[in-house]
Amino acid sequence: MSAASSSASFVIVANRLPVDRVQGPDGEEIWRRSPGGLVAALEPVMQSADGAWVGWAGQPDVEQAPFSADGIRLLPVTLSAQDVEEYYEGFSNDTIWPLYHDVISSPQYHREWWDAYVRVNRRFAERAAEATAKDGTVWVHDYQLQLVPAFLRELRPDLTIGYFHHIPFPAHGLYAQLPWRDQVLQGLLGADVVGFQRAQDATNFLTAVRRRLRLEVKGSSVVVPYGGPRVVTARAFPISIDTVPYTELAARPDVRARAAEIREGLGNPKKILLGVDRLDYTKGIGHRIKAFGELLDAGRLSVEEVTLVQVASPSRERVDAYAQLRDEIELAVARINGDHDTVEHTAIRYLHQGFPREEMVALYLAADAMLVTALRDGMNLVAKEYVATRSDHRGVLVLSEFTGAADELRQAVLVNPHDIEGLKDAIMQAVEMPPREQTRRMRALRKRVLENDVNDWSRDFLAALDDVRRTR
């Protein structure tokens, strides 16, 4: 790590830096690169463009000087404990998150949270404005920073600004509930290119712009009269994964041996079903568990032959709705296991923890079917990770229609997770699917995932920004 302060021609702005502070082998604190496709996709661009990354380091009330990691300059933004509570846990995750996920949980509207959101977004914009070279490019990421594009354009009209929205954007009837609806739209329209996961999300955004701000919308373009006039493009750029680590790990003998160990540890059932999610009310974990339990109750499945493994990694545990969800899920699992377990077999192996990528790939290889039953999801990259590991073209993906991935992965068994009977039938279809049909579906799914990876996504978005720069 070294100090870094000079301006960069390409700057990423995200809520978090792409590194985590961890304890080193000698007990000292060190920075380790965060897992995830976004960092992998942008690293080559960052290094070739002498890039910088603006974000929070993850700890409140810690002043951190700029530093470098893996050739990328990292520019920390300081957040106080109050900022974390009001901007992040409050407005971002208890207002915007539930509202944008179809109000599965009720959003909370508090003016002091909004004030904190404005204050912190301005701070991120100021940090990016200082960090970016003249006529440079800034790419802002996700719902925590929807006001940054407009603040940044105010400060630096010379910049080319992109914004990518990783979660859904709601239909106007829901979006209109937000007391600060117009301010958020104006914030996003500070960007030259606004990207979404699905075409429907872009349409929802453009509809809100037309109805709320009365601006001219033509196709995927908005004519913005203030700070211009300018033309803003809003369209879908579906994100994907960095497939290489998954295909390489899936081929490693030690990972394949671990997959066999997992099956043996579960009592070698005929079929293993797998769910992998953050513990979040949008993921449909309760619906999946309910459907599986009813199949056991009805005798359509038996605990000796089929096991469900549910990985539910901890998430936002200080938010009340998440603590309540954990209690509900764990009670449902305990009841089903109490009714159906034998000494040798467990109905549901529930794991409330995260795992390193090697272990996740071993779980993917061990699983005969992947159950992705999100009630609403911007994309869902777990579905793509599972597909990437299945080089034998076996295995079944059961996929919610309400994920962005469903637009691309049409050969999955698509399901409405609100329909418990339909979900039960989809699970049975996965359990009983003949090998030939598994191969036909999985081959098509893998072709799609491998040919459209996260590098294609970043290239497409940055090409759209380049088009803006050239036409100025």
Side-chain angles (χ1 to χ4, degrees):
M1 307 292 179
S2 63
S5 57
S6 60
S7 61
S9 58
F10 180 69
V11 173
I12 294 290
V13 186
N15 180 60
R16 288 293 300 270
L17 290 174
V19 291
D20 298 313
R21 194 192 293 267
V22 297
Q23 199 168 60
D26 300 323
E28 78 284 13
E29 285 195 329
I30 60 172
W31 293 98
R32 183 178 64 199
R33 195 171 87 171
S34 308
L38 180 64
V39 184
L42 296 177
E43 186 177 30
V45 185
M46 302 281 285
Q47 291 175 343
S48 64
D50 191 25
W53 191 303
V54 172
W56 176 44
Q59 293 176 298
D61 297 310
V62 174
E63 293 277 352
Q64 174 74 44
F67 62 102
S68 291
D70 298 328
I72 300 172
R73 277 177 289 157
L74 304 175
L75 308 176
V77 173
T78 302
L79 298 184
S80 68
Q82 183 180 356
D83 291 334
V84 173
E85 182 182 343
E86 295 179 347
Y87 144 79
Y88 180 68
E89 294 173 351
F91 194 81
S92 295
N93 290 321
D94 219 2
T95 301
I96 292 294
W97 180 270
L99 178 65
Y100 283 28
H101 286 86
D102 293 355
V103 194
I104 294 166
S105 178
S106 297
Q108 304 298 311
Y109 302 119
H110 298 294
R111 285 168 289 182
E112 64 273 21
W113 289 2
W114 165 252
D115 292 342
Y117 189 78
V118 174
R119 181 176 68 245
V120 171
N121 271 243
R122 191 179 294 278
R123 194 179 307 156
F124 273 84
E126 289 168 351
R127 195 78 174 93
E130 294 165 2
T132 313
K134 183 171 171 51
D135 299 322
T137 297
V138 178
W139 192 0
V140 183
H141 285 269
D142 222 4
Y143 65 103
Q144 302 96 342
L145 303 174
Q146 294 174 99
L147 306 182
V148 167
F151 286 149
L152 191 54
R153 185 159 300 283
E154 233 176 76
L155 295 164
R156 294 289 305 276
D158 60 300
L159 300 179
T160 303
I161 303 169
Y163 171 88
F164 187 76
H165 196 74
H166 291 256
I167 69 172
F169 195 90
H172 183 259
L174 291 177
Y175 181 75
Q177 293 182 21
L178 184 65
W180 308 279
R181 56 204 180 179
D182 294 356
Q183 294 96 312
V184 168
L185 294 176
Q186 288 162 349
L188 293 170
L189 289 173
D192 296 293
V193 178
V194 184
F196 297 92
Q197 300 281 24
R198 309 181 83 167
Q200 186 59 55
D201 295 323
T203 298
N204 290 345
F205 170 73
L206 292 167
T207 299
V209 165
R210 187 175 59 249
R211 294 182 63 176
R212 299 298 326 155
L213 304 183
R214 306 295 181 188
L215 297 181
E216 182 184 356
V217 175
K218 289 184 177 178
S220 60
S221 299
V222 183
V223 179
V224 180
Y226 35 85
R230 299 180 300 114
V231 175
V232 175
T233 299
R235 66 180 180 87
F237 297 85
I239 199 170
S240 192
I241 61 169
D242 181 10
T243 57
V244 173
Y246 291 94
T247 55
E248 288 181 347
L249 281 169
R252 267 176 34 185
D254 60 320
V255 175
R256 301 186 76 82
R258 175 62 187 144
E261 273 179 22
I262 289 169
R263 291 196 76 95
E264 189 174 339
L266 294 169
N268 282 316
K270 288 185 179 176
K271 299 286 182 178
I272 295 173
L273 311 178
L274 177 64
V276 174
D277 311 87
R278 276 190 314 105
L279 187 59
D280 191 291
Y281 50 76
T282 64
K283 300 298 185 182
I285 301 171
H287 296 63
R288 180 184 316 158
I289 288 170
K290 181 178 178 63
F292 183 69
E294 288 188 9
L295 288 170
L296 291 172
D297 290 342
R300 295 174 70 184
L301 294 178
S302 73
V303 73
E304 291 83 10
E305 296 193 338
V306 181
T307 295
L308 169 62
V309 177
Q310 177 61 57
V311 177
S313 57
S315 173
R316 301 171 189 159
E317 294 185 294
R318 288 174 30 155
V319 178
D320 288 345
Y322 289 80
Q324 183 181 340
L325 175 68
R326 180 179 179 182
D327 290 344
E328 291 171 1
I329 296 298
E330 292 181 356
L331 180 60
V333 169
R335 282 178 172 163
I336 291 169
N337 285 347
D339 287 344
H340 295 283
D341 280 6
T342 66
V343 173
E344 296 85 8
H345 297 279
T346 295
I348 302 174
R349 182 66 60 86
Y350 176 78
L351 305 164
H352 180 61
Q353 54 196 281
F355 293 97
R357 186 180 285 172
E358 289 85 350
E359 185 74 356
M360 290 311 307
V361 171
L363 280 165
Y364 292 150
L365 292 175
D368 300 285
M370 184 87 209
L371 307 183
V372 177
T373 58
L375 308 179
R376 193 77 166 90
D377 218 335
M379 178 54 64
N380 195 286
L381 296 179
V382 162
K384 295 187 175 185
E385 291 171 4
Y386 178 71
V387 167
T389 64
R390 306 303 299 200
S391 57
D392 60 356
H393 297 131
R394 298 289 285 274
V396 183
L397 175 63
V398 176
L399 181 61
S400 165
E401 299 166 11
F402 306 118
T403 63
D407 287 357
E408 301 175 86
L409 306 182
R410 306 302 297 176
Q411 292 78 21
V413 177
L414 296 176
V415 66
N416 172 5
H418 297 281
D419 174 9
I420 299 298
E421 290 300 324
L423 182 52
K424 287 157 64 175
D425 290 342
I427 292 171
M428 291 306 302
Q429 184 182 349
V431 168
E432 296 171 348
M433 187 176 290
R436 181 174 291 183
E437 186 179 352
Q438 290 183 37
T439 298
R440 178 183 63 79
R441 288 174 179 259
M442 190 57 71
R443 182 174 280 121
L445 291 170
R446 291 193 87 242
K447 184 174 190 294
R448 176 72 187 183
V449 170
L450 296 179
E451 289 181 357
N452 296 274
D453 68 4
V454 74
N455 298 301
D456 296 295
W457 167 77
S458 62
R459 274 196 298 269
D460 287 349
F461 194 97
L462 293 173
L465 283 179
D466 283 340
D467 288 344
V468 170
R469 191 183 300 103
R470 281 196 297 269
T471 55
R472 276 185 170 166

